[in-house]
Amino acid sequence: MQGETKSGFKYEIDDRVLKDWRFVEAITEADKGKGVAQLEGARKMIHLMFGEDYDKFMEHLAAQNDGYVPSEAVMAEVKEILESNTPKN
């Protein structure tokens, strides 16, 4: 899947990543976990999604936020990407 977020980040994510069991585990932990486990799930999920483009993603967010990468901005972008690529029934 590929696209561009509202903030201008252009991404290309291998569709197989979203079907990979490791991604499913990470997103489940990020969604249902508590505390550190929830954060670790989110971290794994984002690394799996972006792979080699992880640093590019972080740099984009830092450029949008005075050199900082707010966790809220990370999760908002990830949510936007996942929702824009979810099939509508």
Side-chain angles (χ1 to χ4, degrees):
M1 80 174 126
Q2 58 187 355
E4 184 174 345
T5 64
K6 293 174 191 169
S7 71
F9 181 70
K10 293 180 183 175
Y11 61 88
E12 186 170 340
I13 299 169
D14 189 329
D15 290 330
R16 296 176 297 177
V17 168
L18 302 180
K19 296 175 185 172
D20 188 305
W21 185 251
R22 294 167 292 188
F23 182 79
V24 172
E25 286 180 320
I27 200 168
T28 300
E29 193 64 38
D31 188 45
K32 304 284 187 216
K34 301 285 186 209
V36 174
Q38 186 177 32
L39 294 172
E40 181 63 14
R43 187 194 67 75
K44 285 180 186 176
M45 176 186 72
I46 293 163
H47 275 277
L48 287 167
M49 279 181 69
F50 295 110
E52 293 178 5
D53 289 336
Y54 174 82
D55 288 335
K56 181 178 154 186
F57 178 59
M58 291 296 136
E59 289 169 11
H60 169 78
L61 292 174
Q64 301 287 315
N65 294 283
D66 297 324
Y68 295 93
V69 182
S71 56
E72 298 87 7
V74 173
M75 296 313 293
E77 293 274 309
V78 168
K79 181 179 178 183
E80 179 184 342
I81 291 168
L82 292 175
E83 287 180 350
S84 70
N85 290 283
T86 300
K88 311 283 190 270
N89 288 335

